[in-house]
Amino acid sequence: MADLKLSADGEMQVQAYLRFAKLKRDQHVRETLTVISEFQEDRIRKGEMYNYEDMFSMFEDLSADQRRLVDREIQHAYHTNALLVKIMLSQAQANGLRLALDTNALENEFLLKQIAVSEQTALGRPASDFVSSSALGNVTAEDKKASQERDALGAQLGTTNERMASLQQQTTAMMRDKTALAEEVTALRAELASSQASQGKLLSQMQGQFKDLSVQAAGAAQVSTTQFEDMKRQLNETRGQLEDARTQLARQTDALSSKDAELQSMMSNSEAHIMNSKQFQQMKAIMQQKSGEVVELRKRLAQYEPVTVPSAGH
């Protein structure tokens, strides 16, 4: 194994891990220096003299403290590497792959120098360069079942959106018809009001004429037979016109009441149709079900979210 070849995305993930390891290494160095500093403050006093036995005892204690700290940190570092290997093997196994480890390559000086170069490159990059790489690593960490559930959920949500769009179109059409009917009723009301005003005026005129004819009829005995018949004919015509006007007014009033009732019925039926339609009920049930599935799927995918790596300057 003379060389290791990776894609650009793979190399970015390696560099992201090297940045993480460098930050942990710096943390371990700071902890070591803190132990030495605390030892100096506790055991060494300015101006005091120490003999050989005192110095030997202090160095023995310091050595023991350092041994425990270094052993713990090295153990943690190796455990971290083993965990990374286990995660990679688990991901490969979940995707139907089988990987084999060659631990002999871990002592290859040439390969270790390549890793050192990658580390220097990673440290020279800003932390923002590794955000997309971390997101890519999170995607590959999904198991097949979660991915299939996500795809199925996306397809079902697409179907639900189509049903919602269809229902919205039907609702829009019904609201358009409702608006047109309301405008028609408003126009009919205005026409009826105008007709009532004109017919009221006509009735007043006819009543005046009828009154005049009645007065004239009262003195019919004093007029000739021909004039009396003419006045009688005019009176009958006026009565007929008055009855026709009243009949027409009653018909228009009934038509307005019928249109008003029809508008109220259509408004009630349109709202009831929307709320009780099978498509609306199915869409409502599917949205509730899919909302729960989305929450559950997010909880499952949250297990694979990447660890945020701080910038090299922090």
Side-chain angles (χ1 to χ4, degrees):
M1 185 182 296
D3 198 358
L4 299 175
K5 298 294 184 181
L6 284 177
S7 65
D9 292 333
E11 181 63 26
M12 285 294 291
Q13 294 186 57
V14 171
Q15 292 184 13
Y17 176 74
L18 289 173
R19 284 173 57 84
F20 166 78
K22 178 61 168 64
L23 293 174
K24 295 297 292 184
R25 191 164 70 246
D26 292 342
Q27 177 184 346
H28 299 334
V29 171
R30 288 193 299 270
E31 291 176 355
T32 301
L33 295 176
T34 300
V35 170
I36 296 175
S37 177
E38 291 177 352
F39 181 84
Q40 290 176 345
E41 294 176 358
D42 294 339
R43 302 292 298 273
I44 300 177
R45 300 289 186 271
K46 184 177 181 180
E48 293 187 2
M49 300 292 294
Y50 300 95
N51 56 29
Y52 172 81
E53 294 180 355
D54 294 335
M55 296 297 297
F56 184 83
S57 175
M58 286 190 293
F59 278 106
E60 281 289 326
D61 294 341
L62 178 60
S63 177
D65 292 341
Q66 289 296 313
R67 186 182 300 108
R68 286 191 297 270
L69 177 61
V70 172
D71 181 71
R72 184 178 70 249
E73 299 300 343
I74 293 178
Q75 182 187 57
H76 182 271
Y78 279 105
H79 287 177
T80 301
N81 292 334
L83 176 60
L84 180 62
V85 173
K86 188 172 184 178
I87 291 174
M88 298 300 295
L89 292 176
S90 175
Q91 292 177 6
Q93 180 178 331
N95 288 275
L97 301 177
R98 184 175 181 274
L99 302 180
L101 298 179
D102 182 11
T103 56
N104 294 326
L106 299 179
E107 298 181 355
N108 188 319
E109 292 294 334
F110 177 73
L111 297 180
L112 291 175
K113 290 180 180 180
Q114 290 184 2
I115 295 299
V117 173
S118 296
E119 181 183 58
Q120 294 300 320
T121 303
L123 296 177
R125 292 176 177 269
S128 58
D129 287 355
F130 299 93
V131 174
S132 59
S133 176
S134 298
L136 179 63
N138 185 41
V139 172
T140 59
E142 299 178 4
D143 55 37
K144 286 186 176 181
K145 185 177 180 180
S147 179
Q148 292 173 355
E149 291 178 354
R150 180 194 60 192
D151 295 340
L153 182 60
Q156 293 178 1
L157 286 177
T159 303
T160 302
N161 290 334
E162 292 178 357
R163 293 179 179 177
M164 174 68 81
S166 176
L167 185 59
Q168 288 178 345
Q169 291 177 356
Q170 295 178 8
T171 303
T172 302
M174 295 178 65
M175 294 302 295
R176 189 182 300 112
D177 294 340
K178 174 181 174 182
T179 302
L181 183 59
E183 293 176 352
E184 182 180 352
V185 170
T186 301
L188 185 58
R189 285 177 176 173
E191 181 181 354
L192 179 59
S194 176
S195 176
Q196 287 177 340
S198 60
Q199 288 180 2
K201 184 177 181 181
L202 178 62
L203 286 173
S204 298
Q205 293 176 356
M206 288 182 176
Q207 288 175 351
Q209 293 176 2
F210 182 76
K211 184 177 181 180
D212 293 339
L213 291 174
S214 297
V215 173
Q216 294 176 11
Q222 301 177 3
V223 298
S224 64
T225 303
T226 303
Q227 291 176 336
F228 178 77
E229 292 296 333
D230 185 51
M231 292 173 61
K232 184 177 180 180
R233 179 181 56 78
Q234 293 180 5
L235 178 61
N236 291 332
E237 290 178 354
T238 303
R239 285 178 176 175
Q241 292 176 357
L242 180 61
E243 291 298 327
D244 291 341
R246 288 177 176 174
T247 302
Q248 184 178 3
L249 179 60
R251 288 177 180 176
Q252 291 182 350
T253 303
D254 292 340
L256 176 61
S257 300
S258 177
K259 286 290 184 180
D260 197 8
E262 182 180 354
L263 174 61
Q264 295 297 330
S265 176
M266 178 171 290
M267 292 172 64
S268 300
N269 292 336
S270 63
E271 293 177 357
H273 176 73
I274 292 174
M275 297 302 297
N276 298 326
S277 66
K278 183 178 180 180
Q279 286 183 333
F280 182 84
Q281 295 297 329
Q282 289 178 348
M283 178 203 65
K284 182 177 179 181
I286 290 175
M287 291 299 291
Q288 292 176 347
Q289 177 185 357
K290 297 312 170 186
S291 178
E293 291 179 1
V294 168
V295 172
E296 181 64 24
L297 185 58
R298 285 178 176 172
K299 290 180 179 179
R300 295 184 56 186
L301 296 181
Q303 300 174 2
Y304 302 99
E305 291 185 354
V307 178
T308 303
V309 180
S311 177
H314 291 80

